[in-house]
């Protein structure tokens, strides 16, 4: 029965070619218009990804070192273990390693402008739109950190990272470097405990590979951006179109005949949901396929693209079921019509289909990340830049939860047969 409901929706689209023109032709037209018209706006920094990072330290690491050395000296240990602990502490100063070995690494300096600043300059630096990220080192951080590392004590030793939402790509470069440093430092610590000595150069050597990977990430030009932006916007029209078809079946007594044929409301909603998923999936495949031919917008890996598309269309399927349920519940197409004429444009704006939301306020970006089109756009852009699908897990999780939530609510509010 589910297959028959899906087949019915396919036939309805085939018999309404003007809908196919809107859903398949309009995205391509708008991609060309917006992509070329706004090329100067989005392609201004196309040449390279370059980050500017500022480190602010509230304490004094040398004082922290002297304090930890004093603690070691007071310990009831033989001289040899004391000497070994002191050497380890002197070699494992985290801020010194970060400044002198990581951000001074020649490979890192090719794409990160790094500098240090005083705590009193923080507010001024926050207003500098050229700064990609600010690394905040709290007072007594190195002391707490070394106590945690050397003596396995439960200490609160955390670095804070403030990122510029308008420079998402470059701030992620800094974040990736810090994460890589943390991983290598952990390895360094474990080996040191086992008595294996490493030079600081060995601690940061893997950053060369990290630098090459970051520089190899694809940049997003205007055509690529609007290919994704228009695709995730127009896929929402699948939901409103199917919802309208669904209500038309009620007016023409097609739905009544299905009820007489013992088709339950849950089965009908499930059929609408599956139709939305499949038709949205086909629409995205066609639009991205045409864009690959006309505009040379191609994903580095096909499988992650197909997986991300499945999650996006899952959310679209949930939206399709929800709008259809509202139409049947209120015996009117008011909800789906309002969504098509007003809410899709609003979601497109919040989700970044027209302009990157990183250039707007923080609250707009926060809301946009939770819209189906916004989460879909963010995951697609990540994949186009060359990031693995694992970096889009949070976006895919949002799409999955939204799809499940909207479908469950649609099944709950769909009128029972008695009504």
């Amino acid at each position: 029965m589910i297959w028959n409901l899906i087949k019915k929706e396919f036939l309805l689209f085939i018999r309404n070619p003007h809908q196919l023109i809107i859903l398949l032709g309009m995205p391509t037209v708008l991609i060309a218009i917006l992509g070329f018209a706004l090329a100067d706006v989005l392609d201004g920094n196309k040449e390279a990804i370059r980050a500017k990072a500022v480190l602010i330290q509230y304490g004094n690491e040398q004082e922290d070192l002297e304090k930890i050395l004093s603690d070691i000296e007071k310990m009831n240990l033989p001289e040899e273990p004391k000497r070994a602990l002191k050497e380890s502490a002197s070699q494992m100063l985290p801020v010194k390693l970060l400044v002198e070995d990581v951000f001074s690494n020649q490979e890192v300096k090719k794409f990160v402008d790094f500098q240090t600043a005083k705590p009193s300059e923080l507010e001024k630096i926050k207003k500098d739109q050229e700064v990609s990220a600010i690394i905040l080192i709290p007072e007594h951080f190195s002391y707490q950190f070394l106590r945690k590392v050397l003596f396995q004590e439960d200490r609160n030793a955390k670095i804070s990272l403030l990122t510029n939402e308008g420079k998402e790509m470059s701030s992620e470069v800094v974040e990736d470097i810090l994460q890589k440093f943390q991983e290598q430092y952990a390895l360094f610590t474990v080996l040191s405990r086992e008595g294996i000595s490493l030079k600081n150069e060995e601690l940061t050597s893997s950053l060369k590979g990290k630098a090459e990977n970051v520089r190899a990430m694809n940049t997003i030009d205007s055509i690529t951006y609007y290919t994704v932006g228009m695709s995730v916007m127009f896929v929402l029209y699948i939901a409103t179109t199917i919802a309208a078809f669904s209500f038309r079946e009620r007016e023409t007594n097609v739905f009544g005949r299905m009820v007489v044929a013992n088709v339950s409301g849950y089965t009908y909603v499930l059929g609408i949901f599956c139709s939305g998923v499949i038709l949205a999936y086909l629409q995205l495949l066609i639009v991205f396929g045409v864009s690959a031919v006309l505009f040379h917008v191609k994903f580095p890996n096909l499988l992650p693209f197909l997986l991300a598309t499945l999650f996006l269309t899952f959310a679209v399927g949930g939206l399709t079921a929800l709008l259809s349920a509202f139409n049947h519940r209120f015996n009117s197409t008011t909800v789906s019509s309002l969504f098509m004429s007003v809410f899709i444009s609003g979601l497109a704006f919040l989700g970044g289909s027209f302009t990157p939301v990183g250039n707007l306020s923080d609250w707009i970006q926060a809301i946009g990340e939770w819209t189906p089109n916004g989460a879909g756009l963010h995951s697609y852009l990540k994949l186009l830049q060359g990031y693995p699908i694992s970096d889009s897990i949070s976006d895919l999780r949002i799409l999955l939860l939204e799809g499940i939530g909207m479908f469950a609510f649609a099944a709950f509010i769909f009128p029972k047969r008695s009504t």
Side-chain angles (χ1 to χ4, degrees), residues 32-320:
I33 293 174
L34 295 174
F36 290 111
L38 300 179
D40 292 338
V41 176
L42 290 182
D43 297 350
N45 296 319
K46 181 180 175 181
E47 291 80 8
I49 301 174
R50 190 162 186 85
K52 182 177 180 180
V54 179
L55 184 142
I56 296 178
Q57 185 175 192
Y58 284 87
N60 186 303
E61 191 170 51
Q62 190 59 37
E63 293 179 359
D64 289 344
L65 175 60
E66 292 174 1
K67 189 175 181 180
I68 198 77
L69 293 178
S70 176
D71 291 349
I72 295 173
E73 185 63 35
K74 296 175 183 177
M75 296 176 69
N76 187 21
L77 291 174
E79 287 302 316
E80 185 61 26
K82 282 185 180 180
R83 185 184 63 80
L85 283 173
K86 289 179 179 180
E87 288 182 0
S88 295
S90 300
Q91 294 177 0
M92 297 171 63
L93 294 174
V95 179
K96 181 181 179 181
L97 289 172
L98 192 61
V99 174
E100 297 182 4
D101 293 300
V102 176
F103 286 108
S104 295
N105 183 287
Q106 291 303 313
E107 292 296 326
V108 176
K109 289 172 68 175
K110 291 178 181 178
F111 59 93
V112 177
D113 294 323
F114 176 78
Q115 64 186 58
T116 59
K118 299 177 181 178
S120 59
E121 300 177 88
L122 177 59
E123 293 304 319
K124 179 182 177 182
I125 295 172
K126 281 183 178 181
K127 298 176 182 178
D128 187 353
Q129 294 302 313
E130 295 301 316
V131 175
S132 305
I134 304 173
I135 305 168
L136 300 178
I137 309 295
E139 192 173 10
H140 305 308
F141 167 77
S142 295
Y143 176 76
Q144 301 289 351
F145 191 82
L146 289 173
R147 294 284 309 189
K148 182 176 182 179
V149 170
L150 295 175
F151 309 129
Q152 290 82 54
E153 296 180 351
D154 187 13
R155 296 276 180 157
N156 184 22
K158 293 183 180 180
I159 293 176
S160 298
L161 180 67
L162 305 180
T163 59
N164 185 343
E165 302 295 350
K167 292 184 173 293
E168 182 179 1
M169 292 175 60
S170 58
S171 63
E172 286 179 353
V173 169
V174 179
E175 188 174 358
D176 288 344
I177 290 174
L178 290 177
Q179 182 178 359
K180 189 67 177 178
F181 171 72
Q182 182 182 7
E183 294 172 358
Q184 294 300 309
Y185 193 97
L187 176 62
F188 179 84
T189 302
V190 171
L191 294 179
S192 295
R193 288 175 186 167
E194 298 298 324
I196 302 174
S197 177
L198 290 177
K199 297 179 180 179
N200 291 346
E201 290 81 0
E202 294 178 76
L203 172 64
T204 58
S205 62
S206 66
L207 289 171
K208 293 182 180 180
K210 186 66 179 178
E212 293 172 358
N213 288 338
V214 170
R215 286 189 294 162
M217 291 299 176
N218 302 322
T219 55
I220 302 297
D221 58 20
S222 59
I223 286 291
T224 302
Y225 186 88
Y226 284 111
T227 295
V228 178
M230 292 301 102
S231 297
V232 298
M233 180 181 77
F234 273 88
V235 76
L236 299 179
Y237 285 101
I238 286 286
T240 59
T241 303
I242 294 178
F245 287 164
S246 174
F247 185 75
R248 192 181 305 166
E249 292 172 349
R250 185 185 185 95
E251 292 182 322
T252 58
N253 294 322
V254 173
F255 179 71
R257 290 195 291 271
M258 284 190 283
V259 171
V260 173
N262 203 31
V263 176
S264 67
Y266 174 80
T267 301
Y268 183 76
V269 172
L270 181 60
I272 293 294
F273 170 81
C274 293
S275 299
V277 171
I278 295 174
L279 288 168
Y281 203 96
L282 290 175
Q283 181 202 23
L284 289 171
L285 290 181
I286 293 172
V287 172
F288 278 113
V290 171
S291 297
V293 174
L294 297 181
F295 309 121
H296 307 290
V297 176
K298 299 178 181 179
F299 287 83
N301 297 297
L302 184 60
L303 187 58
F305 159 70
L306 296 176
L307 183 60
T309 301
L310 178 62
F311 277 83
L312 174 57
T313 56
F314 192 85
V316 174
L319 179 62
T320 305

Side-chain angles (χ1 to χ4, degrees), residues 395-409:
D395 298 310
L396 302 184
R397 186 185 298 115
I398 288 173
L399 294 170
L400 179 63
L401 293 175
E402 288 178 341
I404 294 173
M406 287 187 286
F407 172 75
F409 189 60

